Amino acid sequence: METVPARSERRQFSIKLWPPSQNTRVMLVERMTNNLSTQTIFTQKYGSLSKEEAEENAKQIEVEAFDVANQHYEKEPDGDGSSAVQLYAKECSKLILEALKRGPTSKATREVVTTEVVRESLFDISKGPRAFIEAEEAEELLKPLADPSNTFTKICFSNRSFGLSAARVAEPILVSVKDKLKEVDLSDFIAGRPEAEALEVMKMFSAALEGSVLKSLDLSNNALGEKGVRAFGALLKSQSSLEELYLMNDGISEDAARAVSELVPSTEKLKVLHFHNNMTGDEGALAIAEVVKRSPLLEDFRCSSTRVGSEGGVALSEALDGCVHLKKLDLRDNMFGVEAGVALSKALSKHANLVEAYLSYLNLEDKGTISIVNALKDSAPLLEVLELAGNDITPTATPAVAACLAEKQHLTKLNLAENELKDEGAIQIGKCLEEGHVRLTELDMSTNGLRRAGARLLAQVVVDKPDFKVLNLNGNYISDDGIDDINDFFKKYPEKLGPLDENDPEGEDEEEDEDENKCEEERDAGDEDGELESKMKKLDVDEE
């Protein structure tokens, strides 16, 4: 006779209520957006927010509440998570009330500022055709800036090329206003000048602005190189409060990158670092990685088209590990490869605030792609833009990609162009986008070897989404009948379908009908809410 185990010996089963799924977090943001923007007892008392600002607040509230609840859960990891769920809801309610009491603070507040005040704060000579500027014209152009009573806090000298005579006019004026300046744009201000003259002009501007307390500095499009970076040494060394630094298209090699790391001593407040279209390479990336490590508040990092390979990619990825506030990441058009892709995935797992990820043309292949989308699946609940074009992704990786996309209900733009997804991959991607994803506006699946079945399904999935704007299926192997089908789907919305002039119908084969039938049979319904989702369906705002 079989012995029945004692109750204490029976296997104990428990339901884990924490952490919440990505879908739950997305639904909670939507619910809070409604609470902040529609008429309730609290909005009647304190006033409601615009839909746009309500959504901005809701996203931030959810992230802050999740962090608090998750820290609580980590101290009691053996529990079922119910106390973390309660704390999560309580924190959301508290922060909603605080947001209502604060009232409009973002775009709604900015709209109150008059055009005249905005005009007075910015001194801009960049309008009009790109041109050289000499002393006489400089005196005339800079008269308003030379007026002691001016209220300018931002200057833009872009698109005008300063020679030595013009720089001599500008130098004392800049000295007189530097203590008021917060934002300085010197992008493309020495174009076409001989190197010796350009370097001297840079040194003059640098000396004039040395000691200013800037929040934003743009030195892009000046072909700086190491000499140019060092010409701005006095200005760069004096900055301790920079929040934005732009060094795009500056010809920055590895030596110039080392100079940047050396001359920008403090980046503790840096939120934006753009380093696009340089010739940095791996060694230069190691230097830029040091700048990133010193920038814990970084929210927007762009290091695209910089010739960075695997070694530099790993270094940048490891540096990004500490940038937990990151919202926008652009690493496109580098040579990272699989190893750097895997390293990047470890950093992305910590980027809960990430909204835009531009990761195209990084040679990720299937392994690197799978690592990255697996990391994003469990982080970045509010991701809106994902670009993974040109990474040699095949159908092998699409189950992982699809699983990630299914969790990203805030997605507005998805770019998977120039991969090898074929119909098999396209069908999986299409099915995961079918349910929900009402905010999707752009889908690019061009140059993926698609035929009729995959193209038809994608067209059917996106055509009726309320905010959808453009589907790109160009460069595939869709048959003439398939093209007719797609055009028929978009008959009411022809503007939503991109051009098909590079499609090659000769790629059609006999397997198309079989693939198409399989595609239709495989479409199924979305997932049901779990126990945690049902617990979070009501969110009460309690006034203390």
Side-chain angles (χ1 to χ4, degrees):
M1 181 176 177
E2 185 178 356
T3 303
V4 178
R7 179 175 297 178
S8 61
E9 296 175 349
R10 295 173 187 168
R11 182 177 298 176
Q12 300 296 313
F13 293 94
S14 62
I15 299 174
K16 289 284 186 182
L17 300 179
W18 193 264
S21 70
Q22 301 289 356
N23 280 338
T24 297
R25 297 182 69 179
V26 168
M27 286 190 294
L28 184 59
V29 168
E30 293 173 350
R31 197 167 298 123
M32 288 191 292
T33 299
N34 289 331
N35 285 347
L36 289 163
S37 61
T38 57
Q39 285 298 312
T40 68
I41 186 173
F42 296 102
T43 56
Q44 288 173 0
K45 181 176 181 179
Y46 299 111
S48 61
L49 306 181
S50 69
K51 192 75 173 179
E52 181 181 357
E53 188 176 8
E55 185 176 12
E56 290 177 7
N57 275 269
K59 290 178 180 179
Q60 187 60 38
I61 287 169
E62 192 282 328
V63 170
E64 290 180 15
F66 178 86
D67 288 343
V68 170
N70 199 48
Q71 289 175 19
H72 171 81
Y73 177 72
E74 287 176 353
K75 295 176 182 177
E76 301 177 345
D78 296 329
D80 64 359
S82 58
S83 62
V85 171
Q86 292 171 3
L87 182 58
Y88 184 41
K90 183 178 179 181
E91 283 294 310
C92 284
S93 297
K94 181 185 77 172
L95 294 171
I96 288 173
L97 191 58
E98 289 177 2
L100 289 173
K101 288 180 178 180
R102 280 195 308 269
T105 57
S106 60
K107 183 178 179 181
T109 299
R110 291 195 295 270
E111 287 173 350
V112 176
V113 181
T114 67
T115 304
E116 189 62 31
V117 171
V118 173
R119 187 181 297 122
E120 286 182 1
S121 70
L122 173 62
F123 180 76
D124 186 356
I125 62 172
S126 66
K127 304 298 185 270
R130 193 179 189 199
F132 277 31
I133 178 174
E134 303 301 339
E136 185 176 348
E137 186 181 0
E139 288 178 359
E140 186 64 28
L141 278 175
L142 302 182
K143 271 183 181 179
L145 193 61
D147 184 344
S149 64
N150 81 73
T151 59
F152 298 121
T153 60
K154 309 171 186 178
I155 60 172
C156 178
F157 285 5
S158 183
N159 206 41
R160 297 296 181 98
S161 179
F162 280 75
L164 278 172
S165 63
R168 292 189 183 102
V169 172
E171 185 175 24
I173 297 174
L174 291 174
V175 170
S176 70
V177 300
K178 71 177 180 182
D179 291 338
K180 293 189 291 186
L181 295 178
K182 299 300 179 185
E183 299 182 19
V184 170
D185 184 347
L186 298 178
S187 60
D188 193 24
F189 85 120
I190 50 158
R193 301 290 180 178
E195 180 181 295
E197 182 180 20
L199 290 172
E200 188 61 32
V201 170
M202 287 187 236
K203 289 176 183 177
M204 293 170 68
F205 274 70
S206 176
L209 293 168
E210 181 182 3
S212 55
V213 183
L214 302 179
K215 289 186 177 180
S216 176
L217 177 61
D218 191 344
L219 301 176
S220 300
N221 301 309
N222 284 313
L224 296 177
E226 183 186 7
K227 292 179 182 178
V229 172
R230 295 197 179 279
F232 275 111
L235 173 58
L236 292 170
K237 282 183 178 180
S238 69
Q239 298 306 304
S240 59
S241 299
L242 271 183
E243 295 181 8
E244 301 179 9
L245 178 60
Y246 302 90
L247 294 166
M248 298 185 288
N249 194 29
D250 274 331
I252 296 182
S253 63
E254 61 185 70
D255 291 332
R258 291 192 190 99
V260 171
S261 182
E262 170 194 335
L263 295 171
V264 185
S266 175
T267 55
E268 292 180 358
K269 297 181 180 180
L270 199 66
K271 295 181 180 179
V272 179
L273 176 59
H274 281 199
F275 205 73
H276 166 71
N277 196 30
N278 287 297
M279 48 187 184
T280 313
D282 279 342
E283 292 299 320
L286 298 179
I288 299 304
E290 292 301 314
V291 178
V292 174
K293 284 180 184 177
R294 303 196 299 262
S295 309
L297 300 181
L298 200 62
E299 296 179 0
D300 181 351
F301 179 54
R302 185 179 186 186
C303 192
S304 49
S305 302
T306 48
R307 307 183 187 181
V308 176
S310 180
E311 182 184 5
V314 170
L316 288 173
S317 299
E318 291 175 348
L320 287 167
D321 193 78
C323 301
V324 295
H325 300 281
L326 202 67
K327 295 179 181 179
K328 183 176 179 180
L329 177 63
D330 187 349
L331 298 171
R332 284 174 287 188
D333 190 24
N334 283 299
M335 300 170 283
F336 274 33
V338 173
E339 183 181 357
V342 172
L344 179 60
S345 71
K346 296 176 182 177
L348 291 174
S349 67
K350 300 180 180 180
H351 293 164
N353 299 312
L354 195 65
V355 175
E356 300 178 31
Y358 301 90
L359 307 175
S360 296
Y361 308 104
L362 292 177
N363 297 329
L364 297 175
E365 301 179 11
D366 284 339
K367 183 177 180 180
T369 300
I370 290 170
S371 293
I372 283 174
V373 295
N374 283 343
L376 288 174
K377 177 177 178 290
D378 297 323
S379 65
L382 305 178
L383 190 70
E384 296 178 2
V385 177
L386 178 60
E387 292 198 3
L388 286 165
N391 278 307
D392 297 323
I393 306 172
T394 75
T396 300
T398 46
V401 174
C404 171
L405 295 176
E407 301 291 334
K408 306 305 169 192
Q409 292 296 321
H410 282 265
L411 201 67
T412 62
K413 182 179 179 181
L414 175 62
N415 185 352
L416 290 166
E418 296 187 49
N419 284 300
E420 301 170 19
L421 297 177
K422 303 188 184 321
D423 274 5
E424 180 183 347
I427 289 168
Q428 293 180 70
I429 298 299
K431 286 171 62 180
C432 82
L433 295 176
E434 190 171 18
E435 295 296 326
H437 293 93
V438 295
R439 302 184 182 194
L440 191 67
T441 62
E442 297 181 36
L443 175 61
D444 192 340
M445 293 285 285
S446 58
T447 318
N448 263 293
L450 305 188
R451 299 182 185 277
R452 183 182 183 186
R456 274 176 52 92
L457 184 137
L458 291 172
Q460 286 176 301
V461 164
V462 302
V463 67
D464 289 321
K465 290 192 180 293
D467 296 325
F468 196 76
K469 293 179 180 177
V470 61
L471 171 65
N472 187 354
L473 294 174
N474 214 1
N476 285 302
Y477 305 131
I478 309 167
S479 66
D480 290 337
D481 287 343
I483 295 293
D484 290 341
D485 291 342
I486 294 167
N487 282 324
D488 190 52
F489 292 142
F490 283 89
K491 183 165 53 178
K492 293 182 180 179
Y493 316 104
E495 73 281 0
K496 295 184 179 182
L497 181 61
L500 293 164
D501 55 312
E502 295 181 8
N503 179 66
D504 179 13
E506 298 301 320
E508 183 179 7
D509 62 26
E510 295 179 356
E511 295 178 359
E512 275 199 6
D513 290 338
E514 180 181 342
D515 290 343
E516 182 180 354
N517 291 334
K518 183 179 179 182
C519 158
E520 297 292 340
E521 293 170 0
E522 288 181 349
R523 299 177 67 172
D524 49 27
D527 297 331
E528 297 180 355
D529 288 344
E531 182 172 350
L532 175 57
E533 284 77 358
S534 65
K535 283 181 175 287
M536 297 301 294
K537 281 196 174 174
K538 285 189 178 181
L539 180 68
D540 297 324
V541 182
D542 299 320
E543 185 173 18
E544 297 178 359

